[in-house]
Amino acid sequence: MTTPERLQLYGAEISYFTAKVRGYLQWKGLPFDEVPADARVYREVILPRVGFPVIPVVTLPDGQTLQDSTDIIDALESLHPEPSLSPPSPLQRWLARMLELYGDEWLLIPAMHYRWHHNRDWAVQAFGALSAPELPPQAQRELGERKAAPFARAAELLGAVPAMHAAIEASYEALLLELDAHFTSWPWMLGKRPSVADFGLFGPLYAHQYRDPTSGAIMRALAPRLVAWVERLRDGRASGQDEGTADEQVPDTLLPVLRRQMREQMPELADTAERFTAWLQAHPGEPVPRTLGLHDFTIDGCTAPRIVRPYALWMLQRAREAYLILDGNDRLRADALLDATGGALFRDFPDPVPLRRDGMSVAPASG
Ligand SMILES: N[C@@H](CCC(=O)N[C@@H](CS)C(=O)NCC(=O)O)C(=O)O
């Protein structure tokens, strides 16, 4: 198989994690071609190179294949250090990873809920059109039903069961207002300069919540300044924002968002860590499955089961590493921020053994 001369991004406009990588590539100013992941691309590029069906996938002119939005961004940052995506202060570097974790792993719940419970017909058609652009609309619809079925099921597995719908919507709509207030004062998540926090949140907030028609109407009605941020990223207007504007401030308007993350996501991650550690003890040397059964999570006082996903611990580990290296005044500021946002569980997190990513799951880093 030959590799094209330019960087190729195999993905889709409807895909959460493709949006994260595309937003990054545009900001970085790296020339790339985006190739829609139709059935042929899965068959001829993704499956042979990655071994399982997933997007986004990036190929480099030297033939390397990159998979996983976080690893793609890390690898491209090492190959192309300038302009650096890394925020100027260690405190902001930690917060960028916190918010990336929130965007990647927790906003999946509202993003999947709204897509499959409020935009289903539109999404089915879009899945069919992506897979077989050459087919007529009715045939795309039938194909879309088949292609979309596992994703629609995933919405429930991730926790968007009927008993949670109202709580998920209340929390998400409150988040929209919080983000709208933030973007009244600041152009980007960490203030004056885009960071991986912006790209992490752009995944759900563009690919699902802005583009899917019913969700887009909600965002436009509740959060016009968030819409303006989405459109700046979509149009590549983040590029050029990388010089001379950085400072070390942490916008106060992020506090409500961090509070929401600490309240909703952190207890679920701590329970994931405990279950994962128990699983490892019971299954020494075995490959870690993508999910480890079900556990309860809570949003706005409403509790239901969702799948336990070890992968999220790898994203969390990255945020913990960025926190644990803070010292002196930076650590004091981080701890004051954790106190102000109900973040004790993050500060005292029950870390599992060090992990590496393994496909869509993890493995002990020493294994
Ligand atoms: N952690 C991965 C997640 C990638 C992912 O979930 N991609 C979705 C589309 S946005 C997909 O292809 N999912 C297939 C699956 O979940 O089996 C990343 O950051 O790239």
Side-chain angles (χ1 to χ4, degrees):
M1 187 182 348
T2 57
T3 306
E5 294 279 297
R6 273 157 61 105
L7 191 153
Q8 305 288 293
L9 169 62
Y10 297 95
E13 201 67 15
I14 50 170
S15 148
Y16 199 108
F17 292 96
T18 303
K20 178 181 168 192
V21 172
R22 185 191 311 111
Y24 164 76
L25 290 170
Q26 285 175 332
W27 168 78
K28 190 81 181 174
L30 287 173
F32 69 100
D33 302 311
E34 182 162 340
V35 184
D38 61 13
R40 186 195 61 80
V41 163
Y42 272 96
R43 202 172 51 243
E44 294 180 7
V45 180
I46 297 176
L47 288 174
R49 286 180 179 253
V50 178
F52 53 93
V54 70
I55 49 174
V57 170
V58 161
T59 60
L60 304 183
D62 68 3
Q64 264 191 82
T65 303
L66 305 173
Q67 183 269 318
D68 191 281
S69 60
T70 300
D71 278 344
I72 292 169
I73 292 174
D74 275 2
L76 292 173
E77 280 299 287
S78 335
L79 288 170
H80 306 279
E82 295 299 328
S84 169
L85 180 62
S86 189
S89 78
L91 189 73
Q92 289 180 333
R93 290 200 277 281
W94 163 57
L95 283 173
R97 286 189 176 185
M98 290 299 289
L99 292 164
E100 182 187 22
L101 166 73
Y102 183 58
D104 274 29
E105 295 301 310
W106 201 248
L107 295 187
L108 259 177
I109 302 171
M112 294 294 276
H113 164 60
Y114 279 91
R115 171 161 292 173
W116 297 110
H117 305 138
H118 289 299
N119 296 276
R120 191 178 188 287
D121 287 351
W122 182 89
V124 163
Q125 187 67 43
F127 268 63
L130 172 66
S131 187
E134 71 288 358
L135 289 182
Q138 180 54 31
Q140 285 180 340
R141 199 177 160 74
E142 285 157 21
L143 178 65
E145 286 287 356
R146 288 203 304 281
K147 294 281 175 194
F151 290 87
R153 264 197 309 280
E156 298 233 332
L157 292 171
L158 288 163
V161 292
M164 289 303 286
H165 289 183
I168 292 169
E169 292 177 15
S171 170
Y172 169 69
E173 293 187 10
L175 173 70
L176 287 184
L177 300 181
E178 290 159 5
L179 290 171
D180 203 57
H182 174 76
F183 290 121
T184 304
S185 310
W186 300 99
W188 308 108
M189 283 304 282
L190 290 182
K192 296 185 181 171
R193 183 181 192 276
S195 71
V196 78
D198 293 278
F199 305 124
L201 287 163
F202 185 62
L205 294 176
Y206 170 68
H208 285 230
Q209 307 296 60
Y210 171 90
R211 286 191 81 251
D212 293 8
T214 305
S215 309
I218 295 170
M219 188 186 284
R220 281 191 295 280
L222 294 182
R225 280 152 305 207
L226 174 64
V227 167
W229 166 87
V230 167
E231 291 175 350
R232 280 202 302 283
L233 280 173
R234 178 200 60 187
D235 298 344
R237 276 181 280 152
S239 50
Q241 302 281 330
D242 49 312
E243 285 191 20
T245 54
D247 68 24
E248 300 201 355
Q249 203 165 341
V250 173
D252 281 352
T253 41
L254 285 183
L255 264 58
V257 179
L258 291 168
R259 248 178 235 123
R260 184 170 297 287
Q261 177 181 26
M262 297 303 174
R263 190 166 69 240
E264 296 180 5
Q265 186 178 22
M266 219 40 73
E268 196 265 358
L269 284 171
D271 193 61
T272 301
E274 278 162 17
R275 284 167 191 264
F276 172 71
T277 297
W279 186 91
L280 269 190
Q281 277 160 8
H283 302 83
E286 287 180 31
V288 181
R290 194 171 162 184
T291 61
L292 301 177
L294 295 170
H295 64 168
D296 281 349
F297 75 112
T298 299
I299 292 180
D300 269 358
C302 214
T303 298
R306 81 190 295 263
I307 44 177
V308 180
R309 298 171 59 249
Y311 173 90
L313 297 174
W314 178 69
M315 291 298 293
L316 183 275
Q317 172 177 284
R318 295 166 51 81
R320 287 280 294 159
E321 285 165 356
Y323 167 75
L324 291 170
I325 58 165
L326 296 176
D327 56 15
N329 203 31
D330 284 330
R331 177 62 81 89
L332 291 176
R333 285 176 70 197
D335 285 341
L337 202 57
L338 288 171
D339 283 343
T341 54
L345 200 46
F346 176 82
R347 191 185 51 227
D348 306 323
F349 197 81
D351 289 318
V353 293
L355 300 172
R356 63 180 169 82
R357 185 178 70 81
D358 185 15
M360 302 282 261
S361 187
V362 294
S366 58

